[in-house]
Amino acid sequence: MNDVFSRRTFLSLSGLAAAVSALAGTLSWQGGTAKARAAEKKHILILTGSAREGGNSDLLAGAFARGAREAGHAVDIFACGRAHIRSCLGCERCWTGGAPCIQKDDFDELWPLLEQADMLVFCSPLYWYNVSGHLKCAVDRLYPYSKKTKPRDLKIREAMLLMCGESWFEKSFAGAAEAYRQMTGYKGWKDRGRLFATRVFDKGEVAGSSVLAKAEKMGREA
Ligand SMILES: Cc1cc2nc3c(=O)[nH]c(=O)nc-3n(C[C@H](O)[C@H](O)[C@H](O)COP(=O)(O)O)c2cc1C
């Protein structure tokens, strides 16, 4: 992410980090440390990716938040789909105005939440086999926290991925899951789990499905 950090180095390091992180995530998920984790109160930030208020991703996020709050965690939900956040300009003027980014938009409300978060949960509808553009624009704006010249980084250590889509098949989410795997690996965030709600298209269709109970459980065990 800087002049001397070649693309090849970046790709091989992020691949290696992703593999180590994936292994660590798998081991910890099966390691029976849920009790110890629950004792630790975290700031959890959920980034949702739909403009549809009360839609399926909002319901997934709500169920997860309910479980996490029940377990004693502090939870913020930021609706990227209803905020106005432009993508990164790649202008390299991060931090020059004192804030992470020189653009003035709703990212000004998001970055303080990002900086206090211990865990980041991505919760998006599947749009063209990926996360939504709304969510992706917000993710692109994490760039100031990944440059070599950054004055500070995020304290996020863990992440989760929750998604919903019309498709009947979990494999339809594979592209988004792979981007998430690479990203968490690069940032050194532990993957704490993924949940894909298939066969939901209409607004609120996921209500009453067992997948909401799963999301709530993931929140309780976060
Ligand atoms: C622009 C757009 C693209 C979509 N692309 C896909 C897709 O690639 N695969 C899929 O299974 N569903 C796709 N869908 C359906 C949504 O993922 C589905 O309706 C989802 O439940 C919406 O979540 P929401 O209620 O939180 O907005 C798409 C919907 C829209 C509006």
Side-chain angles (χ1 to χ4, degrees):
M1 292 274 187
N2 63 80
D3 294 347
V4 292
F5 195 64
S6 73
R7 181 176 157 73
R8 180 174 296 189
T9 313
F10 168 75
L11 290 175
S12 53
L13 282 180
S14 60
L16 180 64
V20 171
S21 167
L23 181 63
T26 309
L27 292 177
S28 76
W29 188 247
Q30 296 166 350
T33 54
K35 222 180 214 170
R37 275 199 301 270
E40 178 202 343
K41 185 174 180 275
K42 296 174 195 168
H43 272 111
I44 301 177
L45 174 60
I46 308 175
L47 299 181
T48 60
S50 177
R52 268 204 309 197
E53 196 158 7
N56 299 315
S57 41
D58 279 7
L59 292 175
L60 277 177
F64 181 92
R66 209 164 35 250
R69 286 181 181 129
E70 206 180 285
H73 302 302
V75 183
D76 288 305
I77 302 179
F78 187 92
C80 301
R82 288 165 323 256
H84 294 283
I85 298 183
R86 289 181 292 268
S87 187
C88 174
L89 298 172
C91 66
E92 299 295 342
R93 284 183 288 161
C94 326
W95 304 107
T96 54
C101 185
I102 53 122
Q103 300 190 72
K104 291 285 157 227
D105 59 17
D106 290 343
F107 188 67
D108 286 337
E109 288 163 37
L110 177 54
W111 68 260
L113 298 177
L114 283 163
E115 290 197 0
Q116 74 172 6
D118 305 300
M119 175 186 275
L120 190 56
V121 179
F122 302 99
C123 184
S124 179
L126 187 65
Y127 276 8
W128 291 101
Y129 302 96
N130 213 320
V131 295
S132 72
H134 307 288
L135 180 59
K136 181 62 167 53
C137 282
V139 168
D140 288 354
R141 297 285 286 279
L142 301 186
Y143 183 72
Y145 300 101
S146 295
K147 294 160 64 101
K148 188 168 186 201
T149 54
K150 60 186 181 286
R152 58 181 187 264
D153 201 343
L154 300 170
K155 66 183 173 89
I156 294 165
R157 288 289 163 265
E158 300 173 307
M160 287 198 189
L161 177 65
L162 313 176
M163 294 189 71
C164 53
E166 181 186 13
S167 170
W168 283 42
F169 309 107
E170 282 212 3
K171 69 180 179 199
S172 301
F173 298 83
E178 176 60 11
Y180 164 81
R181 186 185 74 84
Q182 295 274 348
M183 182 185 172
T184 50
Y186 174 66
K187 291 299 290 173
W189 299 342
K190 184 184 286 184
D191 170 24
R192 291 288 315 285
R194 303 142 188 226
L195 181 66
F196 303 114
T198 54
R199 301 171 65 173
V200 287
F201 180 76
D202 291 329
K203 181 176 166 178
E205 201 177 343
V206 77
S209 142
S210 61
V211 83
L212 287 189
K214 283 185 192 155
E216 193 169 332
K217 184 168 184 279
M218 285 172 82
R220 262 197 311 276
E221 295 175 356

